[in-house]
Amino acid sequence: MIMIKIIGIEEPIMHRQGEIYQIEINNQIFFRKLYYDAIEENPDIFIYSEDYKIKEYTKNNIFIFNLMQINPNERKLLTAIYKKLALSLNDQMKNDINDLNVKLISIIDELSFNLDLTTTFNTSIDITKLLSMCDFMFEVEGTNLISLFITYLKACLELKNIKFIISFDILKHFSNDEIILLKKELDILNICLIDLKNNSIIEQNLFNKIVIDSDLCQY
């Protein structure tokens, strides 16, 4: 049994793969506190347990603060993927890299000789650096938001065994069909999403409110 307990919220949340919970919080101060505690990864606020044994939640959970800023091509994510790819090389690939390594050393030797100066260089190719040199990364140009989010989650799974995503009011960015798709992907990935939403009521006479009907939106 896997669950997460958020201090200040009475009921613990059970891990059910593919499940999406949205928790509406009416108290602005409490919502801001949770937000800042999440940024600081405060272990006293978010308590993760497996079979009633408390574990370090940062190893199995990620926070999403701003959906518009997620990037599956973050360096730490790509580095983890490069390392995984390096481990998956077959013998033929390794031989090809060795051949490439010999050719590169020959070229660098000749360049060094032309300089007529004492030089030094690395004589072996690091596959992770090779992938980086080739700008090996996820294609995100023109990707819609839900696809980008799913790609980001799959990239994060290369870093840690994610069980929970704790997000802050991101569901508003998705259509009903996109949320259905997200639930299916979360189910496949064995992940549960908890979306915290600030639902406090602000007096409308404090600002000018303009509502744009759907049929007036151009997109």
Side-chain angles (χ1 to χ4, degrees), residues 15-19 183 186-192:
H15 174 272
R16 295 185 177 91
Q17 65 184 66
E19 193 65 68
K183 285 174 66 71
L186 292 174
D187 184 56
I188 293 170
L189 300 174
N190 192 23
I191 297 175
C192 174

Side-chain angles (χ1 to χ4, degrees), residues 69-79 152 156 159:
Q69 292 181 345
I70 60 172
N71 179 14
N73 291 320
E74 289 178 9
R75 176 169 295 187
K76 64 180 180 179
L77 296 178
L78 288 180
T79 299
Y152 178 75
C156 287
L159 275 180

Side-chain angles (χ1 to χ4, degrees), residues 16-22 146 149-150 153 165 171 174-193:
R16 295 185 177 91
Q17 65 184 66
E19 193 65 68
I20 296 177
Y21 300 93
Q22 185 171 71
I146 186 65
F149 183 45
I150 292 170
L153 295 182
I165 303 164
L171 295 182
F174 299 130
S175 67
N176 291 340
D177 288 341
E178 288 174 331
I179 289 177
I180 291 172
L181 173 61
L182 178 59
K183 285 174 66 71
K184 291 179 180 178
E185 290 292 338
L186 292 174
D187 184 56
I188 293 170
L189 300 174
N190 192 23
I191 297 175
C192 174
L193 187 148

Side-chain angles (χ1 to χ4, degrees), residues 108-120:
I108 295 173
D109 265 335
E110 185 172 346
L111 291 173
S112 299
F113 178 78
N114 292 338
L115 283 174
D116 194 25
L117 293 169
T118 302
T119 60
T120 182

Side-chain angles (χ1 to χ4, degrees), residues 57 60-64 152-153 156 160 162 164-167:
Y57 74 89
N60 298 95
N61 307 281
I62 60 171
F63 293 105
I64 305 291
Y152 178 75
L153 295 182
C156 287
K160 58 176 71 176
I162 302 170
F164 284 101
I165 303 164
I166 299 178
S167 61

Side-chain angles (χ1 to χ4, degrees), residues 11-142:
E11 293 294 326
I13 299 169
M14 305 293 295
H15 174 272
R16 295 185 177 91
Q17 65 184 66
E19 193 65 68
I20 296 177
Y21 300 93
Q22 185 171 71
I23 301 176
E24 295 187 354
I25 299 172
N26 293 329
N27 187 301
Q28 290 175 326
I29 295 175
F30 179 57
F31 180 83
R32 287 200 299 265
K33 184 179 186 309
L34 288 179
Y35 190 94
Y36 294 137
D37 282 332
I39 292 175
E40 298 296 327
E41 296 187 344
N42 187 341
D44 297 324
I45 300 299
F46 301 93
I47 301 174
Y48 174 82
S49 66
E50 293 183 11
D51 297 327
Y52 302 103
K53 296 179 181 178
I54 295 176
K55 297 192 174 183
E56 185 179 348
Y57 74 89
T58 56
K59 292 182 178 180
N60 298 95
N61 307 281
I62 60 171
F63 293 105
I64 305 291
F65 299 101
N66 188 338
L67 197 61
M68 302 303 173
Q69 292 181 345
I70 60 172
N71 179 14
N73 291 320
E74 289 178 9
R75 176 169 295 187
K76 64 180 180 179
L77 296 178
L78 288 180
T79 299
I81 292 169
Y82 292 166
K83 290 179 178 178
K84 181 177 181 179
L85 290 174
L87 293 173
S88 68
L89 293 175
N90 59 37
D91 290 339
Q92 182 60 52
M93 292 176 181
K94 291 176 182 178
N95 290 334
D96 290 342
I97 291 174
N98 287 334
D99 291 342
L100 177 61
N101 189 57
V102 171
K103 292 178 181 178
L104 286 176
I105 291 173
S106 176
I107 293 171
I108 295 173
D109 265 335
E110 185 172 346
L111 291 173
S112 299
F113 178 78
N114 292 338
L115 283 174
D116 194 25
L117 293 169
T118 302
T119 60
T120 182
F121 52 87
N122 194 345
T123 57
S124 63
I125 294 178
D126 183 338
I127 183 61
T128 60
K129 291 181 180 178
L130 181 62
L131 290 168
S132 178
M133 288 170 57
C134 297
D135 288 334
F136 184 94
M137 61 180 63
F138 295 103
E139 178 60 56
V140 296
E141 190 72 25

